[in-house]
Structures are given as structure tokens and as C-alpha cells.
């Protein structure tokens, strides 16, 4: 099937089957498997690189919550501990973090009913200080299920230089700890992805979550680019079956899916399919992703060593 004929997800499914030597049928022998392989290839290609045509037209926004200074009347010795505050809090604090001034041990708030003064912590409280000034803060924020891949750096709106890098979790925790001690607030420097709270049933996507460090004491808007999740419904028509990839590159989805189908069939032509797909992806990267070589341009009669650039 020619590239110009690969318009819908159903077209891609049929092309995959034909290239793998099978009849083009969504209900045939490999119909269900091919749907799975095409979707896998589609999502894999969407998140492969920072394709400009796959990004959301508007940035994602995370609004951080300002810290709350509270006063603790008492903390029980129960497991988990119950914290009694001197005043009620109107909104639920469940999921946020808590520590008493004077120690650096952070506890998660496992439960809190809005309008009450009792916080249930996630563990037995084993610190010395059981009353006095305390802080409630949040350093983890959930995003929508339409986020397939987040791209760094993230930026704090209103500033030019406060860029936030996304690190893998082990590296993040090596630098900033596991969020179990009050590293303190300050300029946001880094983020890592942590386990989601939930899955979104409409598109079976995870509700992705980021943890920031240091945590912010102020309410801030953080912007980020992201690749939008999109499914294919294989109806052969409409928005729900139109890939978010330029038509001239949709054959790459087919090659990636053919690879999966060949592997399932134990066909040694799988290696040829993946090599073809990889070559096309490299060409796409060259076409769409600007090269950042980091070279310094020095004007004629100026010297980089003297700082005259």
C-alpha cells in the first residue's frame, strides 16, 4: 500500500497485514493482534522524539500550592498517628506532606476530612516534638491522562532562567532524597516522575505525576511541553482514526507493527522491518528536530578568549 493511501488507522492495520503476508482483515486470523501492534507502534513513534506536530498546541500547566503554616496541639502515639491541629482546615489535605518545625522528618497525610482539625498520617509518629509550629506542603502533582510524554525542561511562568530538568527517579533521589525529609523550599531545580494515583478509564492512560525539589512555598504556574495521547479506533473514518503523524511518515507505524507481527510469527524478516523503521525515524529526526551542536560563533576580528564575541 502506498504512503498516500495510509490515511486512517484501519489503512495502517491492513497495510501491516499485507506487508506481513496476511490477508487484510480486521476480523481475520491476526486482526486482534495487529490492532495491538499498530497501537503500540503508533504510541511508540509519537513519544520517540519531540515532534512538533505531536505536541499539544497549548502547554501543560501545573499550579503549585503555597505551603501552610499550622499549629499542632497534639500528636497521638497510635499507628498511624493522628495529628490534632489548633484550628480546622477548610479543604482536604490528604496526599500532602507534613512536618513539625524542629525536625526534618516528613510524613504523608493519609487522610483528612475537609473542615476538621484532625490529620491521619501514613505511619506511627516517632519524633520528639509533638506540639508547636508545623508545615503542610505539596511537592507531587498529577497531570491529565492526555499526557503521553512530558518533555523537559519545565519552566516557571514569569521567569526566564528557572528551568526545571526531569531526572530519572534514582538520580533525583540521590540529589534530593526520597521526599521523606524537609529539604526545604526554594527555587525549583528538578522533577522526577513517580507512581500515579490512578488510571483513566476513557483511554486506559495513567494519570502521570511529578515530584519537584526543592518544594515551593509559593503558588506558581509551571509550564511544560508534552506529547498528546491519541488512540486509534480502526473505524476507518473521522478524528478517532486519523493518526497525529504527517501522512508521508505513517508508513513508519506500519514497519514497526510489521516487526511485531513478524516476531509473533517467528519470521526472520523481523530484523529487516525494524531496520527499515529505524532508518526512516532517523530521517524524520533530521527533518524535524533541530541539531544543537553547541558551537560558538565568533565574529571576524573578535576573540573568544578575550570575551569579545
Amino acid at each position: 500500500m502506498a504512503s498516500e493511501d495510509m490515511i486512517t488507522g484501519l489503512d495502517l492495520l491492513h497495510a501491516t497485514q499485507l506487508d506481513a503476508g496476511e490477508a487484510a482483515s480486521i476480523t481475520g486470523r491476526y486482526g486482534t493482534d495487529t490492532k495491538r501492534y499498530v497501537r503500540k507502534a503508533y504510541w511508540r513513534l509519537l513519544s520517540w522524539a519531540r515532534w512538533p506536530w505531536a505536541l499539544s498546541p497549548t502547554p501543560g500547566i501545573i499550579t503549585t500550592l503555597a505551603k501552610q503554616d499550622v499549629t499542632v496541639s497534639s500528636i497521638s502515639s497510635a499507628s498511624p498517628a493522628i495529628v490534632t491541629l489548633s484550628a480546622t482546615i477548610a479543604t482536604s489535605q490528604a496526599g500532602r506532606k507534613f512536618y513539625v518545625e524542629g525536625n526534618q522528618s516528613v510524613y504523608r497525610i493519609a487522610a483528612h476530612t475537609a473542615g476538621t482539625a484532625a490529620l491521619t498520617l501514613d505511619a506511627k509518629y516517632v519524633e520528639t516534638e509533638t506540639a508547636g509550629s508545623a508545615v503542610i506542603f505539596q511537592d507531587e502533582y498529577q497531570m491529565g491522562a492526555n499526557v503521553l510524554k512530558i518533555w523537559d525542561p519545565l519552566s516557571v511562568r514569569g521567569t526566564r532562567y528557572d528551568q526545571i530538568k526531569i531526572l530519572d527517579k534514582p538520580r533525583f533521589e540521590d540529589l534530593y532524597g526520597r521526599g521523606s525529609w524537609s529539604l526545604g523550599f526554594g527555587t525549583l531545580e528538578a522533577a522526577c516522575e513517580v507512581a500515579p494515583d490512578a488510571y483513566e478509564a476513557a483511554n486506559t492512560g495513567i494519570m502521570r505525576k511529578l515530584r519537584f525539589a526543592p518544594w515551593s512555598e509559593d503558588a506558581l504556574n509551571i509550564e511544560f511541553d508534552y506529547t498528546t495521547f491519541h488512540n486509534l479506533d480502526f473505524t476507518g473514518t473521522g478524528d478517532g482514526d486519523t493518526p497525529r503523524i504527517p501522512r508521508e511518515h505513517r508508513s513508519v507505524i506500519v514497519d514497526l507493527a510489521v516487526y511485531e507481527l513478524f516476531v509473533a510469527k517467528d519470521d526472520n524478516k523481523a530484523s529487516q522491518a525494524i531496520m527499515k523503521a529505524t532508518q526512516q525515524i532517523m530521517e524524520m529526526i533530521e527533518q524535524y528536530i533541530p541539531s544543537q551542536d553547541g558551537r560558538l560563533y565568533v565574529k571576524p576580528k573578535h576573540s573568544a578568549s578575550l570575551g569579545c564575541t
Side-chain angles (χ1 to χ4, degrees), residues 184-207:
F185 52 83
T187 302
L188 296 175
E189 297 176 357
C192 74
E193 193 160 359
V194 295
D197 287 337
Y199 288 77
E200 208 284 316
N203 59 20
T204 65
I206 63 173
M207 305 291 282

Side-chain angles (χ1 to χ4, degrees), residues 100-290:
V100 177
E101 297 279 14
N103 69 67
Q104 300 296 306
S105 296
V106 171
Y107 290 78
R108 292 180 181 272
I109 301 174
H112 172 244
T113 301
T116 69
L119 309 174
T120 301
L121 303 184
D122 64 341
K124 181 180 176 65
Y125 188 80
V126 296
E127 320 310 323
T128 303
E129 300 82 4
T130 58
S133 299
V135 172
I136 295 174
F137 70 96
Q138 184 161 332
D139 63 352
E140 295 180 354
Y141 295 88
Q142 187 169 272
M143 291 159 285
N146 66 330
V147 177
L148 179 63
K149 184 175 179 63
I150 311 161
W151 299 98
D152 71 352
L154 295 78
S155 299
V156 177
R157 181 176 286 181
T159 67
R160 179 180 178 184
Y161 301 107
D162 292 345
Q163 293 191 323
I164 304 166
K165 294 290 291 182
I166 298 178
L167 308 177
D168 62 51
K169 195 166 182 285
R171 175 60 176 161
F172 180 91
E173 292 180 347
D174 181 55
L175 292 172
Y176 302 103
R178 292 178 55 86
S180 58
W181 63 293
S182 56
L183 174 69
F185 52 83
T187 302
L188 296 175
E189 297 176 357
C192 74
E193 193 160 359
V194 295
D197 287 337
Y199 288 77
E200 208 284 316
N203 59 20
T204 65
I206 63 173
M207 305 291 282
R208 310 184 81 147
K209 183 194 286 187
L210 289 179
R211 179 185 299 158
F212 292 92
W215 53 270
S216 173
E217 67 171 335
D218 300 315
L220 300 171
N221 282 319
I222 300 171
E223 293 190 2
F224 60 94
D225 286 339
Y226 67 95
T227 296
T228 306
F229 178 91
H230 179 254
N231 203 356
L232 297 172
D233 59 20
F234 300 105
T235 60
T237 184
D239 180 76
D241 205 35
T242 303
R244 302 294 193 260
I245 291 175
R247 188 182 299 185
E248 64 268 25
H249 301 303
R250 292 177 189 173
S251 60
V252 181
I253 302 173
V254 173
D255 292 329
L256 290 170
V258 167
Y259 164 75
E260 298 286 348
L261 187 50
F262 276 148
V263 169
K265 296 169 62 177
D266 198 23
D267 191 315
N268 58 16
K269 292 192 289 293
S271 59
Q272 299 174 26
I274 196 64
M275 287 178 61
K276 181 180 177 184
T278 302
Q279 177 60 38
Q280 292 184 83
I281 291 170
M282 293 303 102
E283 293 172 0
M284 290 172 65
I285 290 174
E286 184 176 351
Q287 179 178 352
Y288 292 107
I289 309 300

